[in-house]
């Protein structure tokens, strides 16, 4: 089934929809614009969070209990990522103190964009939803975290997961 | 034993759930952002239109169908190829108008509403309105102006979901707007 295209297009519309509705409020100063950008990112992140929660619940209903935190992260990198983005995370690193870095060398939501530096500043819009997705998934598995993303060269990107100890 | 075999269908189902859940999150967000349901419906239609305009390209590339000779054939392609390809369902086509310019798509089950219940205060929300926009946008790109709207919806207690399609006209010349 070709529903992948449908998801990609829907995601694009979500991003542009959120940003357009923010623009209507006509921003003047640079500080305001930055604040507005933050609000949009939060919105997208929250949508991702909800979806992540739902997905992980459906997805883990027949899997065995996870051994530990690392086991959960591996699950996110392999099974979860494959379902959502049709490939695995290319590299997972950790400092064993609650920080994980997930590197995807060809992130699906960025592959449609020009690979040069031109749109680098816009990349964060297209990562917010996925940050939420990871955070939501982890949250339903009992791990509270903060997820951020960074891009240095398209379409590769890194997600940093900081586990919040309870 | 059958676990490996199950994976394929399982992951296929999962990825359609990804779409369903994402769409749900989007509608929820729109309901928060806009004050009344009409605005949400309008916004969903607009987003659908933008998707349709791009989706048609993907569709033509993938499906290998040729030019349709009449509206009946178009209806067939929409129901049997397009819906099947993107949503995994095959709606039935009924209620042709005598002039042959209107028909209904009957969706026995609508994957978009798999996990959805409408709260009472959103009675005029057309939850799946995105679909209408997609149909309109996609057909516009193949020179057909149509109108699509929901006339029945299982979310509102109807037995089936019905999208009414009306052919308006053929778009003859497609000069971009504002260029003469």
């Amino acid at each position: 089934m070709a529903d992948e295209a449908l998801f990609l297009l829907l995601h694009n519309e979500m991003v542009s929809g959120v940003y357009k509705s923010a623009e209507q409020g006509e921003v003047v100063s640079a500080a305001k614009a930055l604040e507005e950008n933050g609000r949009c990112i939060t919105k997208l992140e929250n949508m991702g969070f909800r979806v992540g929660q739902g997905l992980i619940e459906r997805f883990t209903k027949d899997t065995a209990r996870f051994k530990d935190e690392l086991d959960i992260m591996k699950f996110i990198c392999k099974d979860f990522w494959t379902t959502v983005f049709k490939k695995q995370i290319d590299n997972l690193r950790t400092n064993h103190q609650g920080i994980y870095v997930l590197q995807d060398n060809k992130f699906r939501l960025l592959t449609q964009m020009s690979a040069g530096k031109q749109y680098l500043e816009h990349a964060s819009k297209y990562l917010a939803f996925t940050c939420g997705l990871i955070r939501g998934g982890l949250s339903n598995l009992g791990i509270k975290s903060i997820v951020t993303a960074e891009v240095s060269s398209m379409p590769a990107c890194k997600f940093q997961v900081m586990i919040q100890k309870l | 034993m059958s676990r490996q075999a199950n994976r394929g269908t399982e992951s296929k189902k999962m990825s359609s759930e990804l779409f369903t859940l994402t769409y749900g999150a989007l509608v929820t967000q729109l309901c928060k952002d806009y004050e009344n349901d009409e605005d949400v419906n309008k916004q969903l239609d607009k987003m659908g239109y933008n998707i349709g305009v791009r989706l048609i390209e993907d569709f033509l590339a993938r499906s290998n169908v040729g030019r349709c000779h009449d509206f009946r054939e178009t209806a067939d392609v929409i129901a049997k190829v397009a819906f099947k390809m993107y949503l995994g369902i095959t709606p039935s086509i009924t209620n042709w108008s005598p002039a042959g310019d209107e028909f209904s798509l009957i969706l026995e089950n609508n994957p978009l509403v798999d996990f959805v219940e409408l709260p009472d205060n959103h009675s005029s929300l057309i939850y799946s309105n995105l679909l209408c926009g997609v149909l309109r946008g996609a057909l516009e790109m193949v020179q057909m102006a149509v109108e699509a709207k929901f006339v029945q919806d299982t979310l509102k207690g109807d037995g089936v979901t019905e999208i009414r399609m009306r052919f308006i006209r053929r778009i003859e010349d497609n000069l971009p707007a504002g260029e003469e």
Side-chain angles (χ1 to χ4, degrees):
Chain A
M1 212 158 73
D3 53 7
E4 199 202 352
L6 212 52
F7 171 70
L8 294 178
L9 289 170
L10 182 70
H11 179 262
N12 283 352
E13 279 310 309
M14 278 164 51
V15 174
S16 72
V18 164
Y19 274 83
K20 240 181 232 143
S21 74
E23 263 168 33
Q24 281 165 1
E26 211 52 62
V27 275
V28 210
S29 65
K32 267 270 179 60
L34 201 66
E35 194 187 305
E36 201 54 60
N37 184 49
R39 206 169 299 150
C40 292
I41 297 276
T42 310
K43 245 184 220 178
L44 288 167
E45 217 262 352
N46 280 337
M47 285 193 243
F49 185 80
R50 278 182 60 109
V51 176
Q53 281 188 314
L55 268 186
I56 205 83
E57 198 168 289
R58 313 279 301 168
F59 203 32
T60 51
K61 70 181 191 298
D62 297 321
T63 54
R65 183 178 282 273
F66 295 108
K67 274 207 315 278
D68 52 15
E69 209 174 87
L70 186 64
D71 201 24
I72 292 180
M73 291 311 291
K74 281 186 184 159
F75 177 80
I76 297 277
C77 293
K78 288 186 183 157
D79 302 55
F80 189 71
W81 217 257
T82 313
T83 314
V84 182
F85 300 113
K86 313 287 177 251
K87 75 186 279 296
Q88 295 186 6
I89 281 282
D90 294 295
N91 191 342
L92 169 68
R93 277 183 301 169
T94 174
N95 67 352
H96 296 289
Q97 283 166 6
I99 294 188
Y100 295 85
V101 177
L102 288 65
Q103 186 176 339
D104 191 330
N105 294 331
K106 202 165 168 255
F107 184 53
R108 195 66 186 90
L109 298 178
L110 293 179
T111 49
Q112 311 282 10
M113 288 161 84
S114 154
K117 294 241 177 265
Q118 192 181 359
Y119 297 112
L120 210 52
E121 56 172 316
H122 295 290
S124 61
K125 299 176 189 175
Y126 292 88
L127 298 171
F129 180 81
T130 310
C131 288
L133 209 60
I134 302 174
R135 194 168 65 87
L138 287 175
S139 136
N140 259 29
L141 294 174
I143 297 180
K144 205 170 158 223
S145 62
I146 296 175
V147 182
T148 51
E150 63 174 287
V151 187
S152 44
S153 72
M154 303 258 227
C157 70
K158 281 180 189 160
F159 295 94
Q160 194 186 60
V161 180
M162 264 188 283
I163 310 283
Q164 307 284 288
K165 290 278 176 263
L166 294 173
Chain B
M1 191 187 93
S2 62
R3 181 145 183 208
Q4 213 56 29
N6 267 337
R7 265 280 157 72
T9 56
E10 189 73 353
S11 98
K12 213 177 255 175
K13 209 175 100 214
M14 283 302 303
S15 64
S16 84
E17 279 174 7
L18 169 70
F19 180 71
T20 307
L21 288 168
T22 308
Y23 184 66
L26 171 69
V27 179
T28 314
Q29 185 62 44
L30 289 177
C31 287
K32 273 185 213 156
D33 288 354
Y34 293 91
E35 272 162 25
N36 62 52
D37 292 349
E38 266 74 41
D39 289 343
V40 177
N41 296 342
K42 217 180 285 168
Q43 188 62 24
L44 285 173
D45 182 73
K46 208 190 280 171
M47 287 179 149
Y49 176 82
N50 292 338
I51 293 176
V53 165
R54 294 177 172 87
L55 193 67
I56 185 75
E57 231 165 272
D58 181 82
F59 174 74
L60 292 177
R62 237 185 261 263
S63 66
N64 219 0
V65 296
R67 195 172 283 275
C68 294
H69 298 289
D70 56 16
F71 201 44
R72 278 176 193 270
E73 200 180 331
T74 309
D76 262 352
V77 171
I78 292 173
K80 296 195 182 115
V81 190
F83 266 88
K84 179 96 195 123
M85 187 186 276
Y86 292 108
L87 293 175
I89 52 169
T90 312
S92 49
I93 305 165
T94 55
N95 295 342
W96 276 99
S97 66
D101 63 345
E102 271 188 51
F103 66 91
S104 292
L105 289 165
I106 308 281
L107 287 72
E108 297 276 325
N109 56 348
N110 174 2
L112 287 184
V113 302
D114 273 352
F115 312 116
V116 181
E117 257 176 51
L118 276 192
D120 292 336
N121 56 340
H122 284 293
S123 53
S124 54
L125 176 72
I126 310 172
Y127 184 85
S128 314
N129 211 25
L130 187 95
L131 288 183
C132 293
V134 173
L135 288 166
R136 187 166 62 85
L139 288 175
E140 189 171 309
M141 288 299 114
V142 287
Q143 274 86 52
M144 259 181 272
V146 298
E147 181 192 273
K149 61 170 193 279
F150 277 92
V151 288
Q152 286 192 77
D153 194 338
T154 44
L155 279 184
K156 304 216 166 118
D158 298 316
V160 289
T161 300
E162 175 179 351
I163 303 176
R164 188 77 180 152
M165 301 274 292
R166 188 168 70 86
F167 178 83
I168 301 173
R169 65 190 166 87
R170 253 183 75 93
I171 302 168
E172 289 298 347
D173 56 346
N174 41 359
L175 274 177
E179 240 170 80
E180 277 168 319

